Amino acid sequence: MVTNKIVVVTGGSRGIGADTARLFARNGYDVCINYLRNDEAAQKVRSEILDFGRRCIAVRADVSIGSEVASLFNTVDKELGTLSVLVNNAAILMAQSRLVDITEDRFNEVLRKNVMSCFLCCKEAVNRMSTKNGGAGGAIVNVSSGASKSGSPGEYIDYASSKGAVDTLTRGLALEVAAEGIRVNAVRPGLIYTEMHASGGEPGRVDRLKSKIPLQRGGMPEEVAEAILWLSTEKSSYVTGGFIDLAGGL
Ligand code: NAP
């Protein structure tokens, strides 16, 4: 049984990742917030977590680049200790476009940022957690999207495809390491109020579409964070290779 409580949240400086980092801290975890550019946002979350009385480091690293991921996890080893939970949350979304208007470079970039990042971080985590390597086990939670099922026609098929790959990686890895003390699951958020929709060119997207959601409202990042925390703790000890949809019924 895993007794250490150390979590890495990729993309932990804003949105769902930031609320996840805060919730883990409130539940007794020491936290590594990873981010790409926004130092100010990362430092703000870090200082909130320090105020909760937990240890916290904010580490800038592009998680789609192997050398930066290796350095991120080595920093966690040195400064926090043995990792018990990885939340693969960092991802990007580009402007709404039809498939015919998406360039080869853009499609590659979205796959690299959203899928390669998950693959690289999972490798580092499994190497540390696997009981086969003398590790103590652990949990990995991947943040996928409802887009993996809808396909996001007319908006971002590149992004939806990347999340389909994250779902498949989640399922395969869960089965591969199930006997090594590691559980691997994913959450699939729907329309959540974060700044990501501005990156897609429509900051008000959730409000425009909320009447189509069976629960008649957009979701809050902390509602996603609750599911991520549950999938990471012993409360979900018999769940692996699973998915929780947080999409208001969509
Ligand atoms: P967000 O508000 O845009 O925040 C993205 C976070 O990821 C930021 O902390 C950003 O760092 C970081 N990041 C991006 N690329 C990175 C990289 N290569 N390396 C390290 N960090 C990187 O996003 P969000 O809406 O919270 O989304 C979080 C996750 O939920 C994503 O996987 C997204 O696909 C998924 N999701 C979101 C929604 C939604 O409606 N919001 C719906 C379904 C799924 P900086 O602050 O430094 O830029």
Side-chain angles (χ1 to χ4, degrees), residues 213-234:
I213 299 170
L215 286 183
Q216 295 289 296
R217 65 172 179 86
M220 299 306 291
E222 52 267 34
E223 295 179 291
V224 181
E226 288 287 355
I228 294 172
L229 178 70
W230 184 77
L231 285 170
S232 304
T233 67
E234 286 301 309

Side-chain angles (χ1 to χ4, degrees), residues 15-28:
I16 291 169
D19 272 351
T20 300
R22 291 186 190 98
L23 186 64
F24 272 87
R26 284 203 298 273
N27 281 272

Side-chain angles (χ1 to χ4, degrees), residues 94-176:
M94 294 197 187
Q96 294 169 358
S97 310
R98 282 167 51 80
L99 180 141
V100 290
D101 298 320
I102 294 175
T103 64
E104 186 179 341
D105 281 351
R106 167 174 156 168
F107 200 95
N108 266 326
E109 180 70 354
V110 170
L111 289 187
R112 198 167 69 80
K113 296 283 190 200
N114 296 2
V115 187
M116 183 62 74
S117 56
C118 183
F119 159 74
L120 291 169
C121 292
C122 282
K123 262 181 96 158
E124 295 289 339
V126 168
N127 279 333
R128 286 163 174 76
M129 293 173 178
S130 174
T131 52
K132 254 191 175 174
N133 302 339
I140 297 174
V141 181
N142 295 329
V143 181
S144 175
S145 169
S148 74
K149 295 191 290 183
S150 75
S152 303
E155 290 197 315
Y156 5 73
I157 289 177
D158 50 355
Y159 172 82
S161 304
S162 75
K163 295 300 187 177
V166 168
D167 285 3
T168 305
L169 188 154
T170 300
R171 186 75 193 147
L173 183 61
L175 303 184
E176 193 166 292

Side-chain angles (χ1 to χ4, degrees), residues 58 68 72 82 138 209:
E68 298 199 16
L72 164 68
T82 310
L209 294 171

Side-chain angles (χ1 to χ4, degrees), residues 11-20 22 89 192-195 221-222:
S13 53
R14 293 186 289 116
I16 291 169
D19 272 351
T20 300
R22 291 186 190 98
N89 167 77
I192 310 296
Y193 287 101
T194 73
E195 292 165 1
E222 52 267 34

